[in-house]
Every structure is written in C-alpha cells, then in structure tokens.
Amino acid sequence: MIIKNYLVLLFFISSSALAGTSGYLPLKQSAKLERNIDQLLLMANMTSLKKPLSVSQVKQALNKVCFTRVTPLCTEITTHLKKYQSPASIVDGRIAVQLSDRTDSTLANQRGIEYQSNVYGHITGYSQLTEYLSLTAGAQLNGSDTSLENTYISVGTDWMQLDIGTKPHWLSPMENSAMLLSTHAPTLPTLSISNSIPLTDFGVNYELFVGELSNSDNIYYQGEYISGKPIITGFHLSVSPWQGFSLGVNRILQSGGGQRGSNSFSDLIGAFFDPSGSDNTSADLSVDEQFGNQAASLVSQFTFSGDTPFSLYFEYAGEDTSRGFNYKLGNSALSAGLYIPYLTDNIGLRVELSEWQNAWYVHHVYGDGLTHEGSIIGHWAAESRNRDNSFSGDGVGAYNAMAKLYWLQSNGDDITLSANVTQNESYTSYDYHTSYQVKAEWFTIMNEYQWVSSIEYGKDIFNESYYSISTSIGW
C-alpha cells in the first residue's frame, strides 16, 4: 500500500509540469482538507495571501514535502488531487441538516447560508476539457433556494488564466475572515485573470477581476435614491522575495449602478492611482461625479519551519484615504494571526485578532454599502451591528478575537474547539453588548464518507442567547 501511494504521488508531482489551466481547491467548504493543505504549505515553507489555492500550487508544495517520503497528510491530499485528473468528476460535496433558534443571521463565511436553513449543502464537479480549457460546475442549496456556486469556465495557461463565472475570492492571509472580500456573502459572478503558480524568482502572484453586486435600491444620485447593480473591480499583487515570506497589496473599487452608469477605463485608472481625488467630495468634485467607493489592504505572511513550525500573518486595511493623501489609509483595520499546527503531536492552535474603525462597509453613495445579496462581502463579524436601515447597517468600529484548538484523535478523528468574541465601540447610539460564540466540531470517516457534527452556543450583540446543532455528510 505504501509503494502504491508513493507511485501515485510521483505521478501527480510529475504532472505538475503541465502549463495549462488549473483547478482550485475548496474554499470554506471542506475544513479538514483545507487544514491539511495549510499544514502542507507551512511544511513546504510556502505562503498564501489569497485564495482559492490552485491545484498547481498545491502540487508544488507536495513536490517539496512529499517527494522523498510518504505521510498520511501527503496521501490524503494526493487522493483528493486525483479527482482533478479524471475527464469529469465530483471533487467536493456536502449535505447538512441544522437546528437553530437564531434568526436574522447567517453562518460565518458560508456564502449567505442562514442559521434558519434546516438543510443546506453544496456540490462541485470538475472537467479538464483540454489542456488549456476546463470547466468547474457547482451548486449550493440554502433551505429551499438553489444557486450556482463554483460554476465557471477557465481558459489559459499557468501564467495567465481567465476564469468566468462564480469563482470565489478571498483577499487575505487570515483564516477567520477577510476585510475586503471573503466568502461570507454569496459568490458574485466575476471575470478574473490570474496566475496559478508564482512567477519569476520573486514569486509574483497577481489577480484582476470585475464583477457585479446584487441589486440595490439605495444608490444616491441626483438628489434621490435609485436602483441598480454596482460594479466591483478587484486587484491583487504579491511577491515572495525569499522563501517563507510574502508581501502583497489588495484593492477593491465599487462604482456605477443604475443611472450612475458604468465608468470608462480611464476613469477606473484615474480612481486607482488617485483614490482621494476621485472619491472624496470637494469644491471640484460633487457626489454625483465621484467614481464610487474604495478599500485597500496590505498583507504579509511569515512561515517558520523546524521542530515546531508556525506561521505569522498580518492585514492592514483602509476603507478610505486619510487627510487627502493617497498613500495613507483611513478608517483603518488591523488584523494579525498565529498558526501552530503542532503544539504537540496531536494538538494545533490558531489565534486571530481583528480591529476596525468606523465607516467600514457603509457609504454615503451606496446606501447598502459593500454587500451582496444582503450579506457583507468582508468580515463576517461586522454584521454584529444594528442593520435595520440598510444591509450594511450601523458603521460602528469593533474588534473580533478568535481562537481554535485542533485535536487529532488516535483513531484519525478530529475535534475542533473554537471561540469568537466581538465587541462594538461605545460611541454609537445603540446599546451593544459583547457578542460571543463557542463551538465544538467532530470530524470522522465512516464507510468512506466524511461526517462532521457540531454544536454552537452564543450570545449576540443584543444579549440574546442562541444555539445551533448540525451534522453533515461529505464526499
């Protein structure tokens, strides 16, 4: 069996030399697999400042870590990658049942799925049509609603791949959430161009994308509120000048919608390089003449391999510019994280802290702010605010702290214990309480199917307690 696994592994490593399109690994849909890949990247001393991860990138990590040895971690990841080699296969799927008394709230980073959804799930298939053309087809079930998630066509090479459809985007090294763009809201349809493996000796990664947010009736234009679908444009660029360190920048721009129309390419370039002059009203720039809304972030990650490997990662973001200077981020947000996969042989730890100032996700032109289908597109904990007047709600500052303990059992089962605390600032007119949640998850494999059961308890910002119990089967 070991020899067989080793030969299969060598086959996948050798196939990584192909220069065609690459599939992507699940994003916030398969916790066990995604944690395994995080461990693999850390062991390979490789960083990741955005997701989803490409299959090509994971193959590179396998080549570094598993070429001369076979471990259960290598075997599990290789077994999953095998699905991407078939002409057509189901690469990921899960169906869950849930019981909860929490209302008017969504599960963190789960693409708009509500606590009140008694049944939810997803399925994703992949087909490599030719070396330079592939199709990913997926669907998500949310109660009685079904939507196309992870459905996109890919064409190109490893240095420039075009993806058209509902490909997810995660612009941060953080695991708990991303300030600019995460998977908390349903995935918006986009057209994106990116590379699937780092370029040059400096490990360059880039991505450009443009998409359309859901319809909003709160777009301010010519003294009244109109309806329309704002456009969102995104940009990512990162470098890894040496092994174990990467530094990157992200930008998102919200514009257009209804009668505000679509901006020209020159308008986009002007807003990109002069955000203060394009988006801050003045004697020379009226509200109607503004390009729109922007946010940016600087991100970095350090990985340290050794007897006790660990990773440090940071995100410094701004919802606006400060004092008219394009290089200064205003309404700042700072996040930091620490990941130690092996505190002991069977216990791992992840800790993350985030704090943001006022005005995040709200905007005077776009009354619903940076939202899609009713959910904030960035940090899920920012929805812990009064949202009676708009989807984005009260633009109050807050902090969020998260801790996760991973406990691997001797029989191969996994237990994850997590805690989250969110506290809004006191300067707002609303009487907020500290929100918290504790959660326990148990992962096991029975008859080759993955079973995950969880129980969650917490209190929200209005001091209302709640519970949630769920169980799911995956394959």
Side-chain angles (χ1 to χ4, degrees):
M1 180 62 70
I2 293 178
I3 295 176
K4 178 182 177 181
N5 289 336
Y6 189 64
L7 291 175
V8 171
L9 184 63
L10 286 178
F11 168 76
F12 287 120
I13 292 173
S14 64
S15 67
S16 66
L18 294 176
T21 58
S22 174
Y24 296 97
L25 277 295
L27 179 56
K28 295 300 177 183
Q29 292 180 323
S30 182
K32 172 67 172 177
L33 172 66
E34 293 176 56
R35 190 164 76 252
N36 284 345
I37 293 173
D38 285 343
Q39 294 178 17
L40 177 70
L41 292 178
L42 183 51
M43 294 169 64
N45 218 15
M46 293 173 60
T47 56
S48 175
L49 297 181
K50 71 178 182 71
K51 292 181 179 179
L53 295 172
S54 69
V55 172
S56 299
Q57 187 176 359
V58 176
K59 286 180 179 180
Q60 285 189 333
L62 283 171
N63 192 16
K64 289 186 176 183
V65 176
C66 306
F67 190 80
T68 58
R69 56 177 173 168
V70 174
T71 65
L73 178 70
C74 296
T75 302
E76 288 179 27
I77 296 175
T78 300
T79 300
H80 181 80
L81 293 191
K82 184 178 180 181
K83 299 177 181 180
Y84 295 88
Q85 301 295 325
S86 302
S89 64
I90 302 299
V91 296
D92 187 52
R94 183 166 299 276
I95 188 73
V97 293
Q98 177 179 238
L99 179 64
S100 176
D101 65 347
R102 188 172 191 181
T103 59
D104 299 326
S105 190
T106 53
L107 300 173
N109 301 319
Q110 291 302 302
R111 297 166 167 84
I113 294 176
E114 302 95 351
Y115 275 91
Q116 284 297 298
S117 294
N118 298 123
V119 179
Y120 62 89
H122 70 273
I123 188 169
T124 304
Y126 179 80
S127 177
Q128 190 74 43
L129 302 175
T130 71
E131 183 177 349
Y132 302 102
L133 178 66
S134 60
L135 174 66
T136 302
Q140 175 174 280
L141 174 67
N142 182 7
S144 59
D145 298 328
T146 303
S147 58
L148 294 179
E149 287 279 347
N150 296 329
T151 297
Y152 49 93
I153 189 166
S154 303
V155 59
T157 66
D158 53 7
W159 59 272
M160 181 178 288
Q161 179 168 314
L162 174 66
D163 302 302
I164 305 174
T166 52
K167 169 195 168 184
H169 301 271
W170 183 283
L171 299 180
S172 177
M174 310 300 292
E175 192 270 345
N176 189 36
S177 198
M179 290 304 297
L180 268 60
L181 189 57
S182 69
T183 61
H184 185 61
T187 303
L188 56 147
T190 59
L191 184 154
S192 66
I193 299 175
S194 62
N195 58 313
S196 60
I197 60 172
L199 304 176
T200 77
D201 293 337
F202 292 96
V204 176
N205 282 287
Y206 73 90
E207 183 162 12
L208 296 167
F209 64 87
V210 60
E212 190 176 63
L213 296 170
S214 58
N215 187 75
S216 171
D217 296 325
N218 293 315
I219 302 174
Y220 188 78
Y221 184 65
Q222 294 185 349
E224 61 181 2
Y225 289 96
I226 63 172
S227 298
K229 295 182 178 181
I231 296 170
I232 186 166
T233 306
F235 168 80
H236 169 88
L237 179 65
S238 61
V239 295
S240 183
W242 60 83
Q243 192 175 40
F245 170 72
S246 58
L247 179 67
V249 59
N250 300 302
R251 293 280 298 277
I252 59 171
L253 300 88
Q254 183 183 20
S255 62
Q259 294 174 352
R260 286 187 65 91
S262 58
N263 301 96
S264 67
F265 182 72
S266 61
D267 291 335
L268 175 65
I269 296 299
F272 185 88
F273 288 103
D274 184 18
S276 180
S278 299
D279 287 330
N280 293 332
T281 56
S282 64
D284 299 321
L285 188 71
S286 69
V287 173
D288 292 339
E289 293 172 330
Q290 282 185 261
F291 176 82
N293 182 25
Q294 297 193 48
S297 67
L298 298 173
V299 289
S300 64
Q301 184 179 18
F302 305 82
T303 60
F304 302 87
S305 56
D307 294 336
T308 305
F310 66 94
S311 174
L312 283 170
Y313 43 97
F314 305 91
E315 178 181 29
Y316 176 58
E319 188 276 336
D320 201 350
T321 56
S322 177
R323 300 180 180 179
F325 293 99
N326 290 326
Y327 60 88
K328 290 186 177 181
L329 297 179
N331 303 326
S332 62
L334 180 62
S335 301
L338 169 66
Y339 175 49
I340 307 174
Y342 305 109
L343 279 175
T344 67
D345 289 341
N346 61 341
I347 292 180
L349 174 69
R350 188 187 293 271
V351 178
E352 294 185 6
L353 302 172
S354 295
E355 183 176 10
W356 55 94
Q357 295 178 336
N358 64 308
W360 268 93
Y361 308 117
V362 302
H363 197 256
H364 60 281
V365 172
Y366 298 100
D368 289 323
L370 286 168
T371 62
H372 179 62
E373 301 289 351
S375 294
I376 287 174
I377 66 174
H379 203 303
W380 64 269
E383 289 193 354
S384 294
R385 54 172 68 166
N386 188 292
R387 304 177 70 205
D388 290 340
N389 297 325
S390 68
F391 292 139
S392 54
D394 176 29
V396 62
Y399 76 81
N400 172 264
M402 181 276 289
K404 280 188 178 181
L405 193 68
Y406 309 107
W407 185 12
L408 177 63
Q409 306 298 294
S410 58
N411 62 353
D413 290 1
D414 256 308
I415 295 176
T416 301
L417 305 175
S418 61
N420 257 286
V421 177
T422 303
Q423 175 64 64
N424 289 330
E425 295 288 355
S426 59
Y427 53 72
T428 183
S429 59
Y430 299 102
D431 183 20
Y432 292 124
H433 293 259
T434 300
S435 170
Y436 72 86
Q437 56 184 224
V438 291
K439 186 175 183 179
E441 292 180 292
W442 171 50
F443 172 92
T444 189
I445 294 179
M446 292 188 295
N447 298 324
E448 298 185 352
Y449 291 99
Q450 303 170 6
W451 292 87
V452 179
S453 300
S454 71
I455 181 169
E456 178 182 327
Y457 175 81
K459 283 192 174 182
D460 63 19
I461 55 172
F462 303 111
N463 208 32
E464 297 289 334
S465 61
Y466 71 92
Y467 73 88
S468 177
I469 301 172
S470 69
T471 187
S472 67
I473 180 173
W475 54 91

